[in-house]
Amino acid sequence: MHLLGSPASPFVRKARVVMAEAGIDDIPFVEVTASPLGGDDGLNAANPLGKIPALSREDGPTLYDSRVVTRFLDARYNAGLYPATRLWETLTLEATADGIMDAAVAITYEKRHRPEEMWFAPWLDGQWSKIARSLDAIERQWMSHLTGPLDMGQIAVGCALAYLDFRHGDRDWRADHPALAAWFATFADRPSMVATAP
């Protein structure tokens, strides 16, 4: 197996954090370039959508979409990151974090692939509104889950917040989310997060 991805992708980071937390060291990481304008031929051959992460396997088709890859890794290596006793909460929190990442990556792509005079401010603001609403919801409803035993929801939130700092540091997400900021200050120091920082 090989994990195809970019170190800068928050979705790839989710898979890499899972690997670090589960002690998985037998899956090589292969850097590829993903782009909404085309991307790497090798990646496109592995995943027709051209998205990362993608997990190539010798005994089956390539797996893709970060949630598919992380569920597969969790099941194969018995990592316990999708606990049955709180599965739906974990999946919902992961989906919320993935939505934050989707919106943040969309803003990044808009600014990277279009000339500044073509940036559509209402669309950019709309993407940030999704992020802000999601952060509000996590601060309001999910702090007790975040402080429980480690699971995939926590990993996804940690990767989402780290990506906001990495690509959108000019927007102060911490100002209105003090509890989440305090949680992230500790979570970001986990060895798995430090080892996978872009």
Side-chain angles (χ1 to χ4, degrees):
M1 286 192 291
H2 295 80
L3 181 68
L4 307 176
S6 164
S9 165
F11 296 102
V12 172
R13 191 175 189 186
K14 281 175 53 183
R16 296 179 74 206
V17 170
V18 167
M19 291 167 62
E21 291 287 349
I24 302 169
D25 58 8
D26 59 345
I27 300 177
F29 179 60
V30 178
E31 287 193 39
V32 295
T33 302
S35 169
L37 304 181
D40 186 282
D41 288 342
L43 171 62
N44 294 336
N47 176 0
L49 298 172
K51 293 185 173 184
I52 49 178
L55 186 67
S56 68
R57 301 181 298 159
E58 292 76 19
D59 58 349
T62 298
L63 302 178
Y64 46 86
D65 186 274
S66 66
R67 278 178 269 188
V68 174
V69 171
T70 57
R71 285 296 296 267
F72 173 83
L73 294 171
D74 180 76
R76 182 172 181 130
Y77 292 89
N78 298 309
L81 297 171
Y82 291 94
T85 56
R86 57 185 194 283
L87 179 61
W88 303 116
E89 292 79 7
T90 299
L91 290 172
T92 300
L93 187 55
E94 182 183 14
T96 303
D98 282 1
I100 291 171
M101 290 186 262
D102 281 332
V105 169
I107 293 170
T108 299
Y109 278 163
E110 173 78 0
K111 292 185 172 183
R112 179 179 300 155
H113 295 292
R114 291 168 62 97
E116 186 170 355
E117 64 273 13
M118 295 180 68
W119 295 352
F120 186 47
W123 189 85
L124 292 171
D125 291 343
Q127 297 304 308
W128 190 260
S129 292
K130 294 177 187 180
I131 294 168
R133 287 194 306 269
S134 298
L135 295 175
D136 290 347
I138 295 171
E139 179 94 0
R140 185 177 61 249
Q141 299 171 201
W142 293 99
M143 293 312 302
S144 62
H145 188 105
L146 288 179
T147 56
L150 181 68
D151 65 24
M152 199 60 225
Q154 294 175 30
I155 290 172
V157 170
C159 291
L161 297 178
Y163 188 76
L164 294 182
D165 284 347
F166 178 55
R167 293 292 193 205
H168 305 291
D170 57 323
R171 296 186 184 252
D172 185 11
W173 65 264
R174 289 172 175 80
D176 296 323
H177 309 97
L180 191 54
W183 172 82
F184 182 62
T186 300
F187 192 84
D189 285 338
R190 292 184 74 89
S192 62
M193 290 292 288
V194 172
T196 58

